[in-house]
Amino acid sequence: MQAIKNQSWKKRLEAKEKRIEKMKDITSSRIIPTNKIVQALETLIQSGDRVVLEGNNQKQASFLSAALAKVDPEKIYHLHMIMSSISRPEHLDLFEYGIANKVDFSYAGTQSLRMAQMLEDGKLTMGEIHTYVELYGRLFIDLIPSVALVAADKADAAGNLYTGPNTEETPTLVEAAAFRDGIVIAQVNELVDELPRVDIPGSWIDYVVVADKPYQLEPLFTRDPRHITDIQVLQAMMIIRGIYEKHQVKSLNHGIGYNTAAVELLLPTYGEKLGLKGKICKHWALNPHPTLIPAIESGWVESVHCFGGEVGMENYVSSRRDVFFTGRDGSLRSNRTLCQLAGQYAVDLFVGSSLQIDAYGNSSTVTRGRLAGFGGAPNMGHDPGGRRHSSEAWLDMNTTNDPLARGKKLVVQVVETFQNGNKPVFVESLDALDVKNDAGLATAPIMIYGEDVTHIVTEEGIAYLYKANSMEERRQAIAAIAGVTPIGLEHDARKTDKLRREGLIALPEDLGIRRTDAKRSLLAAKNVEELVEWSDGLYEPPAKFRSW
Amino acid sequence: MQAIKNQSWKKRLEAKEKRIEKMKDITSSRIIPTNKIVQALETLIQSGDRVVLEGNNQKQASFLSAALAKVDPEKIYHLHMIMSSISRPEHLDLFEYGIANKVDFSYAGTQSLRMAQMLEDGKLTMGEIHTYVELYGRLFIDLIPSVALVAADKADAAGNLYTGPNTEETPTLVEAAAFRDGIVIAQVNELVDELPRVDIPGSWIDYVVVADKPYQLEPLFTRDPRHITDIQVLQAMMIIRGIYEKHQVKSLNHGIGYNTAAVELLLPTYGEKLGLKGKICKHWALNPHPTLIPAIESGWVESVHCFGGEVGMENYVSSRRDVFFTGRDGSLRSNRTLCQLAGQYAVDLFVGSSLQIDAYGNSSTVTRGRLAGFGGAPNMGHDPGGRRHSSEAWLDMNTTNDPLARGKKLVVQVVETFQNGNKPVFVESLDALDVKNDAGLATAPIMIYGEDVTHIVTEEGIAYLYKANSMEERRQAIAAIAGVTPIGLEHDARKTDKLRREGLIALPEDLGIRRTDAKRSLLAAKNVEELVEWSDGLYEPPAKFRSW
């Protein structure tokens, strides 16, 4: 045993200073000229670096990702990319060109097909697939970045950043690099003398570059009510009656599907008729969904904390600051890390959807030939083992007298028994198992494990899985609501009554819902125009959602 | 269904502005004169407010808590306090005087006895007991604060804060209030013209007050190696050999006990002899433990991310910035929220200790008449259901061929079979069950649930609980290492060989460890003075740890 002598303990700092020294030819301040960004990246990044590139399912550091794809692969190669989302073509071009060779990520969306192909062709080494906050956690442990490339709305000359409604994951990515002698480069839409507020202090930022155009921003959480079907209205009624009312669900998160948009739009109509206002759905961990506007305007919603922003909702949010988290400037403050933490630990319920569910309730959106990843669902959609506080809904999931028993987070899957294209959702074996083998993954890419799912809702009814006392009972309850899918067909219809009596399943009629009442006419807004009306003109939908 | 008309949507902002308006008599800037703090609190806080008061197990907003206890209970009453830690007498005086009447918290430490008594006397209404991040999560959902009272090292005239090595939970508490039109008041040790770096932007802070003396800061993670016993050395050897080496544990968190301090001090001696350097214990989620200095100096440690700082370690940390997260000024950047997130999702292993463990491995530090709470252990000490990435150690916990099987976080409990005072640690029934009934809690205050525990280490050996195929096997494995406690005495010694053969338990000799080798002389440092030597004089222990 002996101490290492004459060692430098600031090699990271020295390496950073050396790179910054070389920037003298490009800029004498912390502002990089827009047209010199490629040269700047070639100066500040070195082969083998771990590079965090901002981009989740909403906001993308698109100017920086495009510039990175233009660096000389003879100079910069073998980067290890860390990206919440692989969403843009150049994200994979980096690997095609040899600039990068390894990736750790959370979600691959539209690039999932090409990604799987590149993996097969050996053009890319995959690290691991994560849920968002898991990836963020590793930034402080074993994936500490050398460089962070992020996006903000505005900067001042001191490098202070204003991220406005889309703060999202920026502060977390910056913190991991800035406080470990990494290099932080922020693209901004504009440089200003005075910021509306400071979201990230300038002493955390090394360089700022004004992008050639504003960063890419997707209106991902906008669901046009026109596309909500009667079946989705039926499912939404079952959710309100058979889950939210039954368990007194006060705090929750919704996924981005039309099913949950229907729930939001039924609160001021069906929910109101049931006398539930003020009793359920008061506190939300949710992006600013336009479909939540009627519920907010009707006084249902006490608070909404957001992962990110939503295009077109900026003015509405600013005008409803008793409901949303906003800064002094009045605009939204989102924070993906804190909202995921709140969504994991502090809400009663998560509702999401899936492409495949097996006989025991395991589900995945990964299908053959696609490496889609997870996003935030695994974090929101599990029972957090570290939770110690109780709520009425949480305690309601306890079905035993064990003195050590506790409650459980409500994790709801809502699906129709068949996807578009007549593919069954309920399957004997998930495609994820094949993907595991094909891609050589250590574990199957399951989105939500069956043991965490407390309820499944289909157009047939609700399965109350938290009440199942055995795997066999769980299977029966799922089969009973799985329609004419392979899993549903194995159901012995004679068992249905017993399952209903025992409360393991509920059909619409058990909940006092007539299928014939489930009509689109129940929706508080039937199209985007009506959402705009509800908002008093404050909601400004992107052009593609305007039809009037 | 109809929109609420003529409603103000900025009642929170209006309420805030009204309070700030009244501050004119006290100050014309954002600086509150030190001697007017009580009057300022009486102006800025109103009865019934939800008040977050900063104070965890290390840093305390002690000036503000003392001032709050001096407000007139005729003017300010029925506050709902939210506090990570109830640590100072005035924290409970608030309830004694009637200023506050309800509390949500994480940890009660030295005040746990008085707290239980006050609860019994009806002087205090308890909300819930939380793990740290769970409480933080609720600040954004259903415990949104009206006022946040926090502590920082320095502020400038614009209200920018420097929190230095003890950033801890301050940014999270401030964010919850600042972005919901709450009022943020920060006590600082000094006002300066220019900050070494900005940890929290001034636009998040409403008022700054210079405290009469620096905030309270406890050297909670300093363990004097003089107090480490031979038995703890034996346990540490078993942990290194039978857990870290066996499972190739690369990233981890240690609790604050002498057992884990012994592990840290054995890495450069016993660990080095086993040839494990560079193979285990590379990445840490850990406060700057002085007992980690020899391992750092010997080149074992690649990175340490910290929940908080540690008194006396400031200069050492600054001089080892390749290992620690530091700001531009060179001093530590800690972050309790992010480190808890990393410790939950991104490390292979957690080791902690407990006061009581039952026959199935459930454990608690709650004992009769004390409401101690949890701190961070429930978050670190459970298998995170949202984890999707794998590591060697994590995969090693999988003992089945199920295609859906995944790994598991290693959660290790290390205890001696008896506490001081000859109280058995292994008990048939946890005191927590009585506390549940006495205090009317919804669930028993369990620190770590048995289902999450993968290993228990005593002076007798290791129980590999992750290998147990039934509750009965789990019970047997625990009993076999429980010595002469009630649980241990029920063990049929004839079963020991079978358990050893099946790898359900390991005795020291099974790990190639001779009990007679387990001596304090193996410790890389035997006292605080030697830690200082290892650090080249950079570690500056507080006076109470100096004996030379």
Side-chain angles (χ1 to χ4, degrees), chain A residues 134 180-181 321-322 389, chain B residues 134 180-181 321-322 389:
Chain A
E134 177 185 15
R180 203 70 206 296
D181 293 324
R321 60 192 283 172
D322 274 346
H389 79 281
Chain B
E134 177 185 15
R180 202 73 205 296
D181 295 324
R321 60 193 280 172
D322 275 345
H389 80 282

Side-chain angles (χ1 to χ4, degrees), chain B residues 175-327:
Chain B
E175 180 154 353
F179 290 99
R180 202 73 205 296
D181 295 324
I183 292 171
V184 180
I185 308 170
Q187 71 167 71
V188 297
N189 299 342
E190 55 176 333
L191 265 178
V192 296
D193 287 336
E194 198 167 351
L195 296 174
R197 71 176 191 237
V198 176
D199 288 293
I200 300 174
S203 61
W204 304 16
I205 306 297
D206 295 296
Y207 291 100
V208 166
V209 58
V210 179
D212 54 359
K213 57 184 174 215
Y215 58 73
Q216 184 192 344
L217 188 60
E218 286 300 310
L220 195 75
F221 294 87
T222 299
R223 288 290 170 271
D224 187 336
R226 274 190 304 160
H227 303 308
I228 295 173
T229 63
D230 288 348
I231 284 183
Q232 286 160 345
V233 171
L234 174 69
Q235 290 182 308
M237 292 170 80
M238 288 195 277
I239 290 171
I240 291 173
R241 199 78 223 268
I243 301 177
Y244 294 180
E245 180 183 12
K246 178 182 170 74
H247 305 301
Q248 296 288 298
V249 172
K250 295 196 171 43
S251 54
L252 69 166
N253 166 260
H254 273 178
I256 56 174
Y258 285 100
N259 325 66
T260 44
V263 173
E264 292 154 22
L265 291 169
L266 285 188
L267 291 176
T269 57
Y270 182 64
E272 197 105 6
K273 212 181 83 190
L274 294 173
L276 296 174
K277 188 156 98 177
K279 295 182 184 158
I280 64 167
C281 301
K282 291 161 68 174
H283 304 288
W284 299 71
L286 195 78
N287 279 314
H289 288 189
T291 42
L292 197 62
I293 292 172
I296 292 171
E297 295 299 307
S298 314
W300 277 73
V301 177
E302 277 187 29
S303 67
V304 182
H305 188 254
C306 300
F307 308 93
E310 182 65 9
V311 180
M313 286 288 281
E314 295 82 0
N315 284 338
Y316 178 75
V317 166
S318 292
S319 306
R320 296 293 178 269
R321 60 193 280 172
D322 275 345
V323 172
F324 292 94
F325 282 72
T326 57

Side-chain angles (χ1 to χ4, degrees), chain A residues 1-4 8-13 30 128-131 133-134 136-142 144 172 175-176 178-181 197-199 201-206 251 268-269 283-285 296-299 302-303 305 319-328 333-335 337-338 341-342 344-347 358 362 374 378-379 382 384-390 394-395 403-407 430 433 436 442-444 446-449 451-452 524 534, chain B residues 1-4 8-13 30 128-131 133-134 136-142 144 172 175-176 178-181 197-199 201-206 251 268-269 283-285 296-299 302-303 305 319-328 333-335 337-338 341-342 344-347 358 362 374 378-379 382 384-390 394-395 403-407 430 433 436 442-444 446-449 451-452 524 534:
Chain A
M1 115 184 136
Q2 69 180 44
I4 295 166
S8 163
W9 290 95
K10 46 179 187 174
K11 291 195 199 108
R12 293 176 71 96
L13 178 62
R30 67 170 83 214
E128 300 275 336
I129 317 181
H130 310 75
T131 191
V133 280
E134 177 185 15
Y136 304 157
R138 291 189 69 192
L139 297 178
F140 297 89
I141 302 293
D142 62 347
I144 298 169
T172 305
E175 179 153 353
F179 290 99
R180 203 70 206 296
D181 293 324
R197 72 177 189 235
V198 176
D199 287 294
S203 61
W204 305 15
I205 308 296
D206 295 296
S251 55
T269 57
H283 303 288
W284 300 71
I296 293 172
E297 295 300 307
S298 313
E302 277 187 28
S303 67
H305 188 254
S319 305
R320 295 294 179 269
R321 60 192 283 172
D322 274 346
V323 171
F324 293 94
F325 282 73
T326 57
R328 282 203 187 157
R333 165 81 175 188
S334 60
N335 187 319
T337 305
L338 290 176
L341 190 71
Q344 176 189 18
Y345 267 125
V347 303
D358 75 10
N362 300 291
F374 305 121
N379 178 62
H382 80 275
R387 177 168 171 166
R388 294 294 179 271
H389 79 281
S390 63
W394 184 82
L395 285 172
L404 287 176
R406 48 186 158 161
L430 299 173
L433 296 181
K436 174 193 172 188
T443 55
I446 302 300
M447 176 87 87
I448 296 184
Y449 285 88
E451 68 194 47
D452 285 315
W534 268 104
Chain B
M1 116 184 135
Q2 68 181 44
I4 296 166
S8 163
W9 290 95
K10 45 178 187 175
K11 291 195 199 110
R12 292 176 71 96
L13 178 62
R30 66 170 83 214
E128 299 277 337
I129 317 181
H130 309 75
T131 191
V133 279
E134 177 185 15
Y136 304 157
R138 291 189 70 192
L139 297 179
F140 298 89
I141 303 292
D142 62 347
I144 297 170
T172 305
E175 180 154 353
F179 290 99
R180 202 73 205 296
D181 295 324
R197 71 176 191 237
V198 176
D199 288 293
S203 61
W204 304 16
I205 306 297
D206 295 296
S251 54
T269 57
H283 304 288
W284 299 71
I296 292 171
E297 295 299 307
S298 314
E302 277 187 29
S303 67
H305 188 254
S319 306
R320 296 293 178 269
R321 60 193 280 172
D322 275 345
V323 172
F324 292 94
F325 282 72
T326 57
R328 283 206 186 154
R333 166 81 175 187
S334 60
N335 187 318
T337 305
L338 291 176
L341 190 71
Q344 176 188 19
Y345 266 126
V347 303
D358 75 10
N362 300 291
F374 304 122
N379 179 61
H382 80 277
R387 176 167 171 168
R388 293 295 179 269
H389 80 282
S390 63
W394 185 81
L395 286 172
L404 288 175
R406 48 185 156 160
L430 299 173
L433 296 181
K436 174 193 172 188
T443 54
I446 302 299
M447 176 87 86
I448 296 185
Y449 285 88
E451 66 194 48
D452 285 316
W534 269 103

Side-chain angles (χ1 to χ4, degrees), chain A residues 239-519:
Chain A
I239 289 171
I240 291 172
R241 199 78 223 268
I243 301 178
Y244 294 180
E245 181 182 11
K246 178 182 170 72
H247 304 300
Q248 297 288 298
V249 171
K250 297 196 170 44
S251 55
L252 70 165
N253 165 260
H254 274 178
I256 56 173
Y258 287 100
N259 326 64
T260 43
V263 174
E264 292 154 22
L265 290 168
L266 286 188
L267 291 177
T269 57
Y270 182 63
E272 198 105 7
K273 212 182 81 187
L274 295 173
L276 296 175
K277 188 157 96 175
K279 294 182 183 156
I280 64 167
C281 301
K282 292 161 66 172
H283 303 288
W284 300 71
L286 195 77
N287 279 314
H289 288 189
T291 42
L292 197 61
I293 292 172
I296 293 172
E297 295 300 307
S298 313
W300 277 73
V301 178
E302 277 187 28
S303 67
V304 182
H305 188 254
C306 301
F307 308 94
E310 182 65 7
V311 181
M313 286 289 280
E314 295 81 358
N315 284 339
Y316 178 75
V317 166
S318 293
S319 305
R320 295 294 179 269
R321 60 192 283 172
D322 274 346
V323 171
F324 293 94
F325 282 73
T326 57
R328 282 203 187 157
D329 61 318
S331 75
L332 181 70
R333 165 81 175 188
S334 60
N335 187 319
R336 194 168 297 277
T337 305
L338 290 176
C339 197
Q340 285 285 343
L341 190 71
Q344 176 189 18
Y345 267 125
V347 303
D348 290 331
L349 171 141
F350 162 84
V351 191
S353 197
S354 193
L355 295 180
Q356 290 191 327
I357 300 182
D358 75 10
Y360 299 102
N362 300 291
S363 66
S364 187
T365 52
V366 168
T367 52
R368 254 167 253 226
R370 285 189 185 271
L371 271 172
F374 305 121
N379 178 62
M380 312 288 288
H382 80 275
D383 182 40
R387 177 168 171 166
R388 294 294 179 271
H389 79 281
S390 63
S391 70
E392 200 173 344
W394 184 82
L395 285 172
D396 227 21
M397 296 299 99
N398 174 27
T399 56
T400 78
N401 291 319
D402 181 344
L404 287 176
R406 48 186 158 161
K408 195 172 181 186
K409 181 177 191 175
L410 283 76
V411 174
V412 180
Q413 293 278 33
V414 51
V415 293
E416 293 178 38
T417 54
F418 282 83
Q419 301 172 38
N420 293 340
N422 219 24
K423 284 188 197 158
V425 166
F426 292 91
V427 296
E428 193 54 54
S429 174
L430 299 173
D431 284 1
L433 296 181
D434 301 302
V435 172
K436 174 193 172 188
N437 296 329
D438 294 349
L441 305 177
T443 55
I446 302 300
M447 176 87 87
I448 296 184
Y449 285 88
E451 68 194 47
D452 285 315
V453 178
T454 55
H455 303 73
I456 297 179
V457 182
T458 71
E459 70 277 18
E460 304 284 338
I462 301 178
Y464 294 93
L465 300 182
Y466 69 93
K467 287 187 171 176
N469 287 317
S470 65
M471 290 301 273
E472 182 48 34
E473 236 177 40
R474 167 175 283 263
R475 188 178 174 116
Q476 283 178 18
I478 293 174
I481 58 150
V484 294
T485 61
I487 299 296
L489 289 172
E490 73 179 33
H491 178 63
D492 179 349
R494 285 169 302 183
K495 287 189 182 145
T496 297
D497 279 347
K498 181 167 178 288
L499 291 169
R500 288 170 72 185
R501 271 198 314 277
E502 290 172 353
L504 272 157
I505 64 166
L507 306 186
E509 47 268 41
D510 301 331
L511 303 169
I513 297 168
R514 283 187 301 190
R515 286 174 189 268
T516 48
D517 287 346
K519 296 287 177 208

